[in-house]
Amino acid sequence: MVPKKHLTVLSDKEVHQIHLATLEVLDEVGLWLPNSEVLQILEGAGARVDFKKQVARYPADMVTAAINRFPAGITWYARNPDNTILMDGSQTHFSMPDSALNIIDLNGERRAGGPKDGEDICRLCDALPNMAVASTGINPPDMTSGLLEAWHTRTMFCCSSKAVFGVSRQVDMVLEMARIVADTCDHLPSGVLPLVAIMNPFSPLYNESDQLAGMLKYARRGVPISISPEVQAGATGPATLAGTLVQQTAEFLGHAVLVQCVTPGLGVIYGTVSSVFDMKKMMLPYGAPEADLLAVGTVQMARHYGIPARCTGGSSDTNTLDMQAGAEAMMSTLIPILAGASFVLHGAGELENTLAVSYEKILVDNEIIDMARRFAQGVRVNTDTLAVDVIKQVGCGPHGQFLQHDHTLDHFRSEQFMPRLFVRDDYANWETSGKQAVERRAAAQVEQILATHQPDPLPDDAQKEIDAIYHAAENAAANR
């Protein structure tokens, strides 16, 4: 649900100032794009290209024309039509981490994540109502490029019927798996794949040839693309948050213009993975309040361009499920909802500055999302909810009560957040039930879900085709 009034950190004038500064950067600095095909496309559309330096500079009218072709929203189709989502700012859709290396398991042990963990995380995502986009959560450290992308895509399509994202490399393989799934889906419009691509430019103001080539393939196939710069303020971008917003907006628009040159009208999402660079610890903290400020600023810039926004949320820089994890997760979960972001990736379950996924924190964060969504719904005010007639009927004095009134029965479920994990027992009842901390209760829920939940299966023929692609990638990796 959209808040009645979006949370903002920039005035309309400041949004316009950032936009004008972005146009200046694109026109005078440009982007370093070491891919000759990309440079040729941009030159043909009006960019000033230095092929020797591999730099494209974008005139303001070229950028404005591309912005005018952006569609207002994106329908992100899932293989189960009930899980298809609309990315238009009307609701914030959550996912999990996508590239952690470590798992904190149900015994509290930290270890390298393996393929079975990715399957389990994906099944948890499929089961939890607040998770809208599938994710494996991890990059198993022993998987090389080629096999890793095949594993990610196969696992998401096979272990969840929710929306799936495409990784930015080995795109032909990803597209082929998506085509196989699409052929089993009668609800998809003709030629549409159940896929949105995720790509991250590099800072300052550049990209790599392989990722650019993959981006062209997605665009030509008509797959919407989420473009999320990761500026480290003070290291790979200006130390000021306003300057970081200018640079990351230039990085986004520089790539979004390319998308419109290839397929005019194709959907794009303005994302951010930016934060400040911690000068003491020499790292990028995702739990920092500045990351949340940049997230809100990004949503405002996306709204200025009439497109959906993606943020991070739920991540924590601490190494265990402690009070810091709860504080950082709540803040970075609530803020994208209040700002009106459409999509949150790098979210539920993430610890250790994106390097670890905690099974227990996935369930804690799912509860936090419930709480944040209830807060964002606000207070409904109408003749019925004002309840003046009810107050008159009950009257005044110690004998009045509302517990048995029809109005209470009609409204309390929709008015109240009902915890599924957090406790509201008094001490005696909590002690009688085993004095379990939240992580133990979360672990029990994880075990119950994994023991009972199975995603909707793919048809046998589609499963076999996807397995064949994966095993081919597996054999190719083994023979390198």
Side-chain angles (χ1 to χ4, degrees):
M1 180 179 179
V2 180
K4 293 179 181 178
K5 186 176 181 180
H6 288 118
L7 174 67
T8 62
V9 296
L10 302 169
S11 67
D12 291 344
K13 179 181 178 181
E14 289 166 340
V15 167
H16 186 61
Q17 285 179 293
I18 290 171
H19 172 64
L20 292 179
T22 298
L23 293 180
E24 184 175 347
V25 169
L26 285 169
D27 185 44
E28 297 185 16
V29 182
L31 270 64
W32 183 66
L33 303 170
N35 182 297
S36 59
E37 185 179 11
V38 165
L39 294 174
Q40 290 167 6
I41 291 169
L42 291 172
E43 184 184 47
R48 303 189 310 280
V49 174
D50 185 328
F51 284 92
K52 185 175 181 180
K53 294 183 178 179
Q54 299 179 310
V55 171
R57 295 180 175 85
Y58 302 70
D61 58 352
M62 178 187 180
V63 178
T64 301
I67 291 170
N68 290 336
R69 291 194 289 268
F70 293 164
I74 293 170
T75 300
W76 193 337
Y77 290 95
R79 62 180 178 91
N80 180 339
D82 293 337
N83 293 329
T84 292
I85 55 179
L86 183 62
M87 309 285 280
D88 65 350
S90 61
Q91 186 171 347
T92 304
H93 302 284
F94 285 83
S95 188
M96 298 185 184
D98 68 342
S99 56
L101 298 177
N102 303 306
I103 286 288
I104 301 174
D105 64 24
L106 296 178
N107 296 316
E109 297 295 324
R110 179 183 180 274
R111 55 176 173 77
K116 178 64 164 56
D117 294 302
E119 294 170 7
D120 286 345
I121 289 168
C122 221
R123 287 201 292 132
L124 285 172
C125 180
D126 193 67
L128 294 173
N130 286 323
M131 299 300 118
V133 180
S135 180
T136 63
I138 59 164
N139 284 347
D142 57 344
M143 285 192 181
T144 58
S145 181
L147 178 58
L148 181 63
E149 292 82 4
W151 174 78
H152 273 299
T153 310
R154 175 203 192 209
T155 303
M156 285 188 286
F157 275 129
C158 298
C159 294
S160 176
S161 64
K162 293 188 174 178
V164 168
F165 62 86
V167 294
S168 59
R169 291 175 174 80
Q170 304 295 326
V171 170
D172 289 333
M173 181 169 49
V174 175
L175 289 173
E176 179 59 12
M177 287 191 186
R179 181 202 62 77
I180 292 167
V181 174
D183 286 347
T184 72
C185 300
D186 295 335
H187 62 282
L188 294 182
S190 178
V192 171
L193 296 177
L195 196 70
V196 168
I198 303 286
M199 64 89 62
N200 298 77
F202 293 87
S203 300
L205 299 162
Y206 77 101
N207 210 326
E208 294 179 341
S209 182
D210 288 349
Q211 187 165 219
L212 289 167
M215 189 176 183
L216 292 181
K217 290 178 179 179
Y218 279 129
R220 286 170 175 148
R221 187 57 185 80
V223 175
I225 303 176
S226 174
I227 304 166
S228 302
E230 186 173 5
V231 182
Q232 302 180 43
T236 65
T240 56
L241 300 188
T244 295
L245 284 168
V246 170
Q247 181 178 306
Q248 75 161 31
T249 303
E251 291 170 354
F252 164 74
L253 283 177
H255 289 82
V257 169
L258 173 63
V259 171
Q260 298 306 311
C261 292
V262 175
T263 305
L266 184 62
V268 291
I269 301 169
Y270 180 6
T272 181
V273 199
S274 299
S275 185
V276 291
F277 188 74
D278 189 309
M279 299 297 180
K280 290 183 178 180
K281 299 295 185 180
M282 303 302 286
M283 49 83 79
L284 188 74
Y286 286 99
E290 295 84 3
D292 299 323
L293 287 167
L294 289 169
V296 179
T298 299
V299 177
Q300 288 189 253
M301 295 308 298
R303 191 175 298 119
H304 179 70
Y305 300 129
I307 56 176
R310 173 230 160 167
C311 305
T312 61
S315 185
S316 177
D317 299 316
T318 189
N319 300 304
T320 189
L321 185 53
D322 57 11
M323 292 180 70
Q324 178 183 339
E328 291 176 343
M330 172 56 85
M331 187 165 178
S332 63
T333 296
L334 178 61
I335 283 174
I337 296 175
L338 296 179
S342 289
F343 178 35
V344 174
L345 181 64
H346 276 292
E350 196 162 72
L351 286 172
E352 206 179 310
N353 189 236
T354 77
L355 294 178
V357 180
S358 160
Y359 282 112
E360 295 160 349
K361 188 172 181 289
I362 291 172
L363 270 292
V364 172
D365 288 344
N366 186 68
E367 190 94 331
I368 287 173
I369 293 168
D370 274 336
M371 295 179 72
R373 282 183 166 157
R374 176 61 192 96
F375 183 84
Q377 287 172 0
V379 178
R380 293 183 299 123
V381 179
N382 56 48
T383 301
D384 191 27
T385 62
L386 287 169
V388 173
D389 290 342
V390 179
I391 296 170
K392 289 178 181 179
Q393 290 170 18
V394 173
C396 60
H399 299 295
Q401 56 87 14
F402 293 79
L403 282 172
Q404 293 176 305
H405 201 286
D406 288 344
H407 186 271
T408 300
L409 298 176
D410 289 342
H411 288 285
F412 82 92
R413 289 182 180 86
S414 60
E415 288 284 320
Q416 295 184 19
F417 159 69
M418 300 288 189
R420 290 177 282 194
L421 179 65
F422 296 167
V423 298
R424 290 176 173 174
D425 287 334
D426 61 25
Y427 187 89
N429 286 328
W430 176 68
E431 185 176 40
T432 300
S433 62
K435 298 172 66 172
Q436 286 191 336
V438 67
E439 54 266 34
R440 289 298 89 205
R441 298 192 301 276
Q445 289 192 15
V446 171
E447 289 173 341
Q448 192 271 336
I449 291 170
L450 294 180
T452 59
H453 179 78
Q454 292 297 330
D456 298 332
L458 283 168
D460 289 344
D461 289 347
Q463 183 70 61
K464 289 177 182 177
E465 287 186 76
I466 288 177
D467 286 347
I469 295 172
Y470 172 74
H471 292 313
E474 199 172 35
N475 292 333
N479 292 328
R480 285 197 186 109

